[in-house]
Amino acid sequence: MMHQIDPEMKACMDACHECHVTCLHMAMNHCLEAGGRHAEPQHMKIMADCAQICAVAIDFMARKSEHHRHICRECAEICRACASSCEGLDGMEDCVAACRKCAEACDKMAA
């Protein structure tokens, strides 16, 4: 018998993966190349934090860790902070969207 991943958890893992890749890609490419406000240390750090917590959340869910709920709660909080940091910066719409979608999915998993 195959072990099935709960569809809601799978959706959250997918949203976390999309957010992880988007934040990492945008930070290391778009933001560094754009410079200025895009490359400010505080902005770069929240983007790195966001990418990392998304990867951690995926791991915890994949293991069905009993701690996944509070990791997901923290992930949602960091994703919202990242979305706020990205808002108003040119070309960051994909990042804002990925962060907001991930925060929503993680809120459901944390409940």
Side-chain angles (χ1 to χ4, degrees), residues 8-73:
E8 201 167 75
M9 188 176 278
K10 175 77 168 77
C12 187
M13 291 169 77
D14 290 346
C16 285
H17 180 258
E18 181 65 26
C19 191
H20 170 79
V21 171
T22 301
C23 285
L24 209 51
H25 174 78
M26 294 296 287
M28 294 299 109
N29 295 284
H30 178 75
C31 290
L32 284 179
E33 288 166 18
R37 285 179 46 223
H38 283 81
E40 282 176 0
Q42 216 170 343
H43 178 68
M44 296 300 290
K45 283 178 189 172
I46 192 62
M47 290 192 76
D49 285 352
C50 191
Q52 186 67 60
I53 195 70
C54 287
V56 170
I58 292 166
D59 287 358
F60 274 68
M61 286 184 279
R63 288 196 300 271
K64 287 191 169 180
S65 168
E66 61 190 58
H67 299 285
H68 83 269
R69 278 185 171 70
H70 56 259
I71 297 294
C72 286
R73 192 171 302 118

Side-chain angles (χ1 to χ4, degrees), residues 82-95:
C82 190
S84 294
S85 184
C86 291
E87 273 177 337
L89 293 177
D90 289 342
M92 298 299 289
E93 298 80 13
D94 288 353
C95 207

